[in-house]
Amino acid sequence: MSACPDKTQLLHGLLDGELDAVNAAAFEAHLKTCEACNGEYLRQLALRDQVASPGVAHRAPERLRAKIEAMVAEEATPAASTGRPLRRAGWAAGGALGGLVAAGLAVIVAIPQVETASLDRQLVAGHVRSLLANHLVDVATSSQHVVRPWFNGKVDVAPPAPELADKGFPLVGGRLDYLDGRVTPAIVYRRRLHTVNLFVWPAETRGDGGDHTARRDGYSVVEWTAGGLRFAAVSDIGVDELKSFREAFEAAAPAS
């Protein structure tokens, strides 16, 4: 059974992380009521995971990247500066090769950036979905001693949930969300009338890097890695204010 014809582009947009937060939330709601679209979405999601699985997907080694960069740099060097005569036939062939090499290098460099942008969209979509669907928390409490144990047995991490009311970020509770193909804990805080969703997952599961900040669709995203976990805070407050949340969280988390 194929997906609804008028939903095909939205389905691919959701898979590729190209939908804005509102459209992503709306289409995810459609998936809950349409068996055909949900089946096609799960099929393509499984196919994507198979293509990205070890033994199928391979990352180019750093030596190859260094060699390609050296070839491109040499190709771009003017003949006058090297003192070598310019051989037109060879230069033409080299130019074509350099263009292909540069294009390949651009793909290698762009892949992590595309993956990061896709994750940012999913984080924002998860934040908006929690507000639109009235599913902000599964366990409503301001006690870290209730929130953290609640996740035991539900996910493969026990995320810290320090109480930050004295820092201006009171704890609201926690819930289970779905991010990048897996169930993910979300710790919920408030900042005045604003909501802060903090998503947490094992750092090694997605090859996560260092600190990352972004502003997308009017929402701020601040990501960091600590203690083997990857944290991503999302809110409609400013990036600087969300960084203050991170600082308060990190200062209190070791004692949680």
Side-chain angles (χ1 to χ4, degrees), residues 116-254:
T116 299
S118 174
L119 184 58
D120 285 347
R121 292 189 186 96
Q122 292 185 55
L123 289 165
V124 171
H127 174 78
V128 174
R129 182 171 58 243
S130 72
L131 303 177
L132 295 180
N134 195 27
H135 181 208
L136 188 59
V137 294
D138 291 321
V139 53
T141 177
S142 60
S143 173
Q144 61 180 318
H145 303 295
V146 175
V147 174
R148 187 171 190 180
W150 182 84
F151 288 104
N152 291 339
K154 298 180 176 68
V155 287
D156 53 2
V157 297
E163 298 167 16
L164 304 176
D166 60 334
K167 303 297 183 182
F169 297 95
L171 178 64
V172 176
R175 74 173 184 282
L176 296 178
D177 210 298
Y178 193 75
L179 178 68
D180 201 19
R182 66 180 295 148
V183 177
T184 303
I187 314 298
V188 184
Y189 290 86
R190 292 285 189 193
R191 180 61 163 174
R192 299 182 297 274
L193 299 178
H194 306 274
T195 298
V196 177
N197 270 298
L198 179 65
F199 300 91
V200 189
W201 63 88
E204 69 276 6
T205 58
R206 299 183 180 93
D208 302 295
D211 295 359
H212 169 70
T213 61
R215 185 74 178 170
R216 181 174 296 279
D217 298 330
Y219 297 92
S220 301
V221 179
V222 173
E223 299 177 43
W224 71 95
T225 300
L229 297 176
R230 184 69 173 174
F231 298 88
V234 187
S235 181
D236 59 350
I237 62 178
V239 171
D240 290 341
E241 200 168 7
L242 199 55
K243 286 182 178 179
S244 297
F245 165 79
R246 172 195 169 174
E247 294 171 0
F249 182 91
E250 287 192 295

Side-chain angles (χ1 to χ4, degrees), residues 84-100:
R84 296 193 298 249
L86 180 63
R87 293 178 296 176
R88 293 200 173 272
W91 177 87
L97 175 61
L100 291 173

